[in-house]
Amino acid sequence: MPHTQTRTDSCPVPPPGSRGIDEVLAAARARLRRLDPEQAHLAYRSGALLVDIRPAGQRAAHGTVPGALAVERNVLEWRFDPRCPARLPQAVDYDVPMVILCQEGYTSSLAAAALQDLGLHRATDVVGGFAAWRIAGLPTLGPTPPHRPSSAAPPVTAGRAPR
């Protein structure tokens, strides 16, 4: 998610005690020991879980990291809370090292902080996200091109046997 831009129109007065997204993001990042793509790759190769929280459409459009565990953001906490019956087998305890990956490194910071709130104190994220991972030349697969019927093959006609 890109940095919020300054708007020229007026903003409503925020409720007392609320924080803007820039403040929320800064507070989340202050709690993390964020990793650059190379450090994240080394952590993954050393046994950390690499968790890709991007939606399926983003993974298809931009590619994936081989071996990364795809757990979309909307179910992340339920899949990794060791107390939750919906947890994944990898959610064995609170000491599991986890590196969260999103497209550009914004949502992953918020997600890693949310995992820390659950007690997963070793959760962190990748600075620059998948985009930075790819630019660094680290292993990726895809993107997956959209499926288009081949013009070389004749269409299948129901009820007809091939000759």
Side-chain angles (χ1 to χ4, degrees):
M1 304 240 151
H3 176 72
T4 16
Q5 297 179 358
T6 304
R7 294 177 53 148
T8 54
D9 56 345
S10 65
C11 178
V13 176
S18 69
R19 299 180 295 162
I21 187 57
D22 291 334
E23 292 171 274
V24 171
L25 182 61
R29 287 180 171 170
R31 300 166 43 189
L32 305 174
R33 190 181 71 78
R34 302 185 75 212
L35 304 177
D36 67 32
E38 292 83 3
Q39 292 169 323
H41 186 243
L42 286 173
Y44 170 62
R45 292 189 49 140
S46 298
L49 291 177
L50 182 61
V51 182
D52 188 338
I53 63 168
R54 297 174 299 153
Q58 259 188 345
R59 293 190 311 271
H62 299 283
T64 60
V65 174
L69 193 58
V71 178
E72 292 191 15
R73 176 65 189 98
N74 63 324
V75 296
L76 185 69
E77 290 88 344
W78 287 270
R79 299 300 181 253
F80 286 106
D81 183 351
R83 294 170 276 230
C84 183
R87 71 185 175 276
L88 293 172
Q90 294 89 336
V92 293
D93 63 39
Y94 297 93
D95 199 41
V96 174
M98 275 187 240
V99 180
I100 309 301
L101 183 72
C102 70
Q103 186 61 32
E104 295 180 356
Y106 292 90
T107 304
S108 58
S109 295
L110 299 175
L115 291 174
Q116 286 188 356
D117 288 343
L118 295 176
L120 300 160
H121 64 99
R122 296 178 72 187
T124 191
D125 77 322
V126 181
V127 175
F130 180 80
W133 181 285
R134 173 165 262 157
I135 289 168
L138 295 168
T140 61
L141 298 172
T144 312
H147 178 68
R148 293 192 181 118
S150 170
S151 59
V156 176
T157 307
R160 280 199 198 167
R163 295 182 184 191

